[in-house]
Amino acid sequence: MTTSGLALHDRLRFLLQRARGFDLGSVTGRARKTARVHGKSYPLVLADMLWSAARHRVGFNDYIEFDFAILTRSERATWVTSPLALELSKKFDDPAFVHHFHDKLEFNRLFDRFLGREWLDVENTDAEELREFAQRHPVLIGKEPVSKSGFGVSRYDTTGITNWEAFRAELISRGQVLVEERIVQHPELERIAPGTANTTRVTTFVKDDGTAEIINMAQKFGRGQVSDQGAFGGFYTTLHEDGRAMGMGYDIHGELYGTHPDTGVRIADFVLPDVDRVRELITEVALVVPQVRYVGWDIVATASGPVLVEGNWGAGVFENKPTATGIRHGHLPRYRAAMGW
């Protein structure tokens, strides 16, 4: 599928959604913070944020997170923004197949050979099977099958559990009917950000010739919680094609992290372990459901190689932040080259 542009009705729909959900206090607060951080005029920043959202599909968080206040018009045009990423998902991902990515149980069944860990469907097993699973994996992860942004996920230490019927009932009552073996991450990741299975986001596109291309990579870092998402205090840094960090870390609020707050390790020194094996894994999994062409995959590097966590058909945005990296261009040219528009 080749296209020269994106549908006008998608742009209009985004503007209508923005208008319905417009929160003046939130927007002005973001504008004041941005003006203060970059030494800019608050009224000019506010006007620019509103114009960028209305005319150029730039989300208010995008404007802050990716330092649009200090970028020229031509530099801004190289960024993938959140509204644009959503448009791309709608354009290139066949809705008849995206259900494979919505439900984590269905995803695990389809991609089982790439997961590198045991998992269990709690509703279709009894308490004894759950007990046996926990004996093999005393610390396990409970997940709601349909959830996002790290919500609906809990970590359980089962060593003290004696009533397995009650534990099974608790999982079901919380909707966490998927349990998985805990991922033991690569020692290098554990050195930097211990206690969380820190995921690498690898965004791929299945091209017209049927091959998969990696168009973006980013490394997320958690704070010891069950998830490395921003809502759990996590942050990320974009990666070069060879797996090197582009610079410092940053979060969804625009805050910078020169070092990890818990360990003091410098983020700019990070290099993704086994990057060649990551490429091999991702270019294979991207072709399992080729009808969903634009996907953001989460993997975790381990001592025995990368393992797949999940795939996100709404790939989201993990873009470059100029004040963190010193690089004043985004990933859109790579997206355009792969997608042919």
Side-chain angles (χ1 to χ4, degrees), residues 3-24:
T3 179
S4 59
L6 296 168
L8 177 61
H9 69 271
D10 281 333
R11 300 186 187 189
L12 294 175
R13 185 185 300 115
F14 166 70
L15 291 177
L16 288 173
Q17 290 171 343
R18 272 294 187 198
R20 293 191 198 103
F22 187 78
D23 182 340
L24 180 61

Side-chain angles (χ1 to χ4, degrees), residues 115-119 133 136-143 154-157 179-185 190 195-197 226 300 302 307:
L115 301 180
R117 62 192 181 279
E118 279 194 89
W119 59 276
F133 182 91
R136 295 191 298 275
H137 313 295
V139 178
L140 53 81
I141 307 299
K143 296 181 177 181
S154 300
R155 184 166 49 206
Y156 295 95
D157 184 341
V179 295
E180 296 182 346
E181 171 187 354
R182 179 184 59 165
I183 298 172
V184 178
Q185 66 184 346
E190 186 68 13
T196 302
V226 70
V300 173
T302 76
V307 299

Side-chain angles (χ1 to χ4, degrees), residues 5 19 99-100 106 168 174 185 204 218 233 235 256 259 261 288 301 306 320:
H99 63 90
H100 293 300
E106 183 172 351
R168 178 176 180 273
R174 299 183 68 174
Q185 66 184 346
T204 60
F235 60 95
L256 296 176
T259 61
V288 173
N320 171 43

